[in-house]
Amino acid sequence: KQEVTQIPAALSVPEGENLVLNCSFTDSAIYNLQWFRQDPGKGLTSLLLIQSSQREQTSGRLNASLDKSSGRSTLYIAASQPGDSATYLCAVVGGGGADGLTFGKGTHLIIQP
Amino acid sequence: EAGVAQSPRYKIIEKRQSVAFWCNPISGHATLYWYQQILGQGPKLLIQFQNNGVVDDSQLPKDRFSAERLKGVDSTLKIQPAKLEDSAVYLCASSHTRLRGGAKNIQYFGAGTRLSVL
C-alpha cells in the first residue's frame, strides 16, 4: 500500500526567504507526482505535475523535483510572499490501473510579512 | 471555463441520519472522483468513475456509502446511516480522461462539502 509522508508538518518563515518542502513515498512504481495548494475553505489547486520519466518541473517561483528511485520529491519556493501562505499537499498516482491520487498530510506554510 | 461545482457547502446532521452530496464536473470531463478529507489529513480517494462506470471503489465503505453517476455527468455521494467519524470535507474532482500513454490528466477539485455529524 502506497504511503506518502510530508516533512515538515508546519513551517513559518519571514517573507523573502527561499524554502523547501519535502515529500517521500514508499512505492516507487508511480505514474506521476503532483503538488497542490489548499487554502482554507477552498478546494485544491494543482501547482506542478511531474511525470515519472521527468526529473523536475518549474512554474514561476516554484520548482519541483522528483527522484523516483529513492521515493522523494521536493518543492522549492523562491522569494516567498505572504500570499504563499497555505497548506501544500503532495500526491502520487500509482502505476496500476486506477488513477486516484494518494496524498500526504500536507505542510502548513505561513509566510510572515 | 466553469470549475467543479459542489453542493451543499456545509451540512450538519445527527448520527444515524442520511445525507447526500452533489457534484457537477467540468464540462466534457469523463472521469470523476470523490475524496474524503478528515481534518489534519490529506484527501483519501473513495471512488472513481469513468463516464457512468466505476473504475475503483476499493476504499468506499460500502455498508454505508454509495455513489452514482447515472448519465455520466453529475454525481451524487450518499451516506446512510452517518457515523461521527464521517465528519470530514467531501471533495469532488474531475479530469478530462483517464491516465494513458503519457497524458498528464490533471485533476481539478471543487471547493468541497463540509459535513459535521453530531
Side-chain angles (χ1 to χ4, degrees):
Chain A
K1 177 185 174 185
Q2 178 75 269
E3 293 185 2
V4 178
T5 302
Q6 292 188 244
I7 295 174
L11 182 63
S12 180
V13 300
E15 179 179 4
E17 284 199 5
N18 302 324
L19 54 99
V20 174
L21 308 183
N22 297 291
C23 171
S24 62
F25 45 95
T26 55
D27 186 348
S28 62
I30 64 170
Y31 191 88
N32 65 38
L33 181 144
Q34 291 181 250
W35 283 93
F36 290 87
R37 169 183 174 141
Q38 186 171 33
D39 294 282
K42 298 186 179 180
L44 281 66
T45 301
S46 180
L47 297 173
L48 290 165
L49 183 150
I50 309 176
Q51 298 284 72
S52 62
S53 59
Q54 297 175 321
R55 297 283 293 182
E56 66 177 342
Q57 283 287 322
T58 298
S59 176
R61 295 182 293 108
L62 305 179
N63 175 275
S65 67
L66 173 64
D67 184 344
K68 199 175 84 162
S69 61
S70 67
R72 295 180 182 177
S73 176
T74 61
L75 178 67
Y76 176 83
I77 302 176
S80 59
Q81 302 171 358
D84 296 331
S85 297
T87 296
Y88 290 80
L89 293 157
C90 169
V92 298
V93 176
D99 309 328
L101 292 159
T102 300
F103 284 86
K105 293 183 179 181
T107 294
H108 182 56
L109 177 64
I110 296 175
I111 307 298
Q112 306 155 10
Chain B
E1 178 179 79
V4 176
Q6 291 188 246
S7 67
R9 288 298 312 275
Y10 306 92
K11 190 73 177 179
I12 301 173
I13 62 172
E14 295 187 351
K15 60 182 179 183
R16 291 189 289 274
Q17 287 187 326
S18 62
V19 64
F21 313 125
W22 173 82
C23 173
N24 180 240
I26 292 173
S27 178
H29 280 194
T31 311
L32 185 146
Y33 313 79
W34 283 101
Y35 290 86
Q36 178 194 56
Q37 186 175 23
I38 294 173
L39 186 65
Q41 306 286 321
K44 181 184 80 172
L45 178 71
L46 293 176
I47 189 168
Q48 175 188 346
F49 291 95
Q50 177 69 13
N51 296 310
N52 60 352
V54 175
V55 175
D56 181 8
D57 63 356
S58 58
Q59 298 189 94
L60 186 74
K62 298 181 185 65
D63 58 334
R64 298 183 300 105
F65 285 66
S66 65
E68 60 183 14
R69 194 184 184 200
L70 293 177
K71 297 183 178 179
V73 180
D74 294 4
S75 176
T76 55
L77 176 69
K78 298 178 181 178
I79 308 175
Q80 181 179 10
K83 294 185 175 181
L84 297 176
E85 58 261 37
D86 298 331
S87 295
V89 175
Y90 290 84
L91 295 163
C92 179
S94 71
S95 59
H96 185 259
T97 185
R98 294 194 61 186
L99 291 171
R100 288 295 181 267
K104 292 184 178 182
N105 213 36
I106 294 172
Q107 293 183 28
Y108 297 88
F109 284 78
T113 296
R114 181 176 298 276
L115 173 67
S116 296
V117 182
L118 306 178

